[in-house]
Amino acid sequence: SAGDVLEDDPVGRLKVYVYELPSKYNKKILQKDPRCLSHMFAAEIYMHRFLLSSPVRTLNPEEADWFYTPIYATCDLTPTGLPLPFKSPRMVRSAIQLISSSWPYWNRTEGANHFFVVPHDFGACFHYQEEKAIERGILPILQRATLVQTFGQRNHVCLNEGSITIPPYAPPQKMQARQIPLDTPRSIFVYFRGLFYDVNNDPEGGYYARGARAAVWENFKNNPLFDISTEHPTTYYEDMQRAIFCLCPLGWAPWSPRLVEAVVFGCIPVIIADDIVLPFADAIPWEEIGVFVAEEDVPKLDTILTSIPPEVILRKQRLLANPSMKRAMLFPQPALPGDAFHQILNGLARKLPHQKSIYLKPGEKILNWTAGPVGDLKPW
């Protein structure tokens, strides 16, 4: 069994009101840069599209359990396709100012019955370097809201209690088109493609991935069991389907799209990211399908993986072959029962009913609108 929660149907258990915002917060941003549709942060776009036609949507805000503000905060990419988070806080503040002055619902709870999709590296801390993200903290006016985010790490200032951790976006149609026959032998023992050092942003080499990726390279670059490289071949998806283990080490943040790709392609994810909070952890039995290796144990990776009994490997592969496991990690268009959209709705449904304490008394204020760095307070 992949876990009973995967089969839950959220329809009928919650109602979501979608705010209608000016297109400068969403559609116009996307028109300017269509690359955002295939970026690993694209969940914010597809969640908006999904909710507009979802049966959980209500047009009557008075009966809504949850309110959703569609902002494409990560759709600001450099020429090389890297996201720039610097405008995001101003954009989010601007949208909240708009909804709080145009509708009464935000002010009743200061956002405690609102959710926001914030799929940045460090969620609503809005920075891709952990040190700066921790220094910033979660955008103060989002402190009461529920955050739907790819970032998840226990005991971290960028993870609110009650956040819903989701997988990054990986293109479902593209992956489907690259499936190879199921009986193809898995002839690669360990597979990884990606950076080991981020020379541009971390010239010293010890900060990126907390040194874990560098340790993989230094220890196993000449090991015949390890098929690892910085090259990104055109056969990347096919190669993952020929591998038994796929390394999923942290990068700047603990997560990466490799986690999704490994599950979809039936390659046992080797998760190297201490204290990671995994997507839909109450629905997907990560301990049963993955292998967890502490960052400090990376030099022993070969011993750890070769000592796993064949029957344990086969059991993990059988669980990974379950179609519902793969579906829960994807954002397909159109949506499918049990997919990542439905897992998000299940997460929201499990937080209902709201406690009465979320409603503010007349004149009561909890959030400080002027808290945070001065740059965040500029108009957007």
Side-chain angles (χ1 to χ4, degrees):
S1 166
D4 294 338
V5 175
L6 285 174
E7 307 304 329
D8 280 2
D9 183 2
V11 176
R13 292 163 49 218
L14 75 166
K15 286 184 166 67
V16 176
Y17 181 76
V18 179
Y19 285 115
E20 286 188 35
L21 297 185
S23 60
K24 71 171 189 170
Y25 292 99
N26 39 61
K27 290 173 190 163
K28 273 196 179 155
I29 298 174
L30 180 57
Q31 281 166 4
K32 190 175 132 200
D33 199 337
R35 291 179 301 169
C36 297
L37 283 169
S38 53
H39 201 272
M40 61 182 172
F41 297 150
E44 62 185 359
I45 298 168
Y46 292 111
M47 191 67 196
H48 181 203
R49 292 181 177 183
F50 165 74
L51 283 171
L52 289 176
S53 57
S54 168
V56 304
R57 183 188 182 193
T58 176
L59 300 177
N60 177 7
E62 291 296 341
E63 67 172 19
D65 300 301
W66 288 101
F67 294 83
Y68 165 66
T69 310
I71 314 166
Y72 299 170
T74 65
C75 189
D76 184 17
L77 307 180
T78 65
T80 54
L82 297 171
L84 291 169
F86 312 116
K87 289 182 194 166
S88 303
R90 288 160 52 201
M91 191 175 170
V92 173
R93 283 180 58 85
S94 168
I96 292 173
Q97 280 170 327
L98 178 65
I99 63 169
S100 65
S101 59
S102 308
W103 290 272
Y105 308 105
W106 170 274
N107 300 322
R108 291 176 185 176
T109 67
E110 286 195 319
N113 56 353
H114 288 57
F115 70 92
F116 292 80
V117 182
V118 282
H120 267 294
D121 278 337
F122 289 93
C125 285
F126 294 123
H127 207 286
Y128 59 88
Q129 290 180 323
E130 185 169 23
E131 211 170 61
K132 300 267 176 60
I134 290 171
E135 198 181 297
R136 285 186 57 86
I138 291 171
L139 188 65
I141 55 169
L142 289 179
Q143 290 285 358
R144 301 204 82 207
T146 287
L147 303 177
V148 176
Q149 57 186 53
T150 42
F151 172 73
Q153 185 175 312
R154 280 184 286 275
N155 307 313
H156 199 285
V157 298
C158 297
L159 182 71
N160 257 355
E161 190 186 344
S163 289
I164 295 172
T165 310
I166 64 170
Y169 177 79
Q173 290 85 348
K174 190 176 169 189
M175 289 197 285
Q176 186 63 40
R178 303 285 287 279
Q179 296 277 356
I180 62 175
L182 286 172
D183 57 358
T184 305
R186 291 193 177 261
S187 53
I188 301 168
F189 190 63
V190 181
Y191 187 73
F192 176 80
R193 291 292 182 274
L195 288 179
F196 296 98
Y197 302 91
D198 188 341
V199 180
N200 294 328
N201 294 302
D202 180 31
E204 301 295 317
Y207 188 60
Y208 177 61
R210 299 198 280 252
R213 292 195 187 202
V216 169
W217 180 248
E218 298 304 333
N219 285 280
F220 304 110
K221 59 188 171 190
N222 298 318
N223 188 317
L225 292 176
F226 284 67
D227 187 344
I228 59 175
S229 165
T230 54
E231 306 284 316
H232 203 296
T234 53
T235 55
Y236 175 67
Y237 283 162
E238 289 82 355
D239 293 345
M240 287 187 102
Q241 294 169 77
R242 294 187 182 97
I244 295 171
F245 294 106
C246 287
L247 299 185
C248 300
L250 72 160
W252 282 113
W255 58 271
S256 87
R258 285 177 195 83
L259 201 59
V260 178
E261 293 160 349
V263 171
V264 169
F265 292 130
C267 186
I268 297 168
V270 180
I271 297 158
I272 307 167
D274 295 352
D275 293 322
I276 189 171
V277 176
L278 286 154
F280 309 136
D282 54 353
I284 294 175
W286 289 105
E287 295 285 344
E288 293 177 44
I289 62 173
V291 174
F292 290 78
V293 176
E295 291 165 29
E296 66 176 15
D297 291 338
V298 166
K300 299 185 275 191
L301 251 178
D302 52 347
T303 309
I304 291 167
L305 296 178
T306 53
S307 64
I308 299 173
E311 61 271 20
V312 173
I313 290 174
L314 286 169
R315 184 170 186 277
K316 290 181 187 295
Q317 288 175 331
R318 275 198 301 272
L319 281 168
L320 281 166
N322 185 329
S324 63
M325 194 84 68
K326 304 175 194 301
R327 199 177 306 134
M329 295 293 282
L330 294 172
F331 295 90
Q333 295 85 53
L336 296 168
D339 64 13
F341 299 115
H342 287 85
Q343 301 306 328
I344 293 170
L345 296 183
N346 277 326
L348 293 169
R350 284 193 289 280
K351 289 165 71 74
L352 296 175
H354 294 299
Q355 294 175 355
K356 286 185 179 154
S357 59
I358 72 164
Y359 292 93
L360 303 188
K361 298 177 183 73
E364 186 184 4
K365 293 276 175 206
I366 295 175
L367 299 179
N368 180 355
W369 277 74
T370 59
V374 176
D376 289 1
L377 305 181
K378 291 178 186 168
W380 179 76

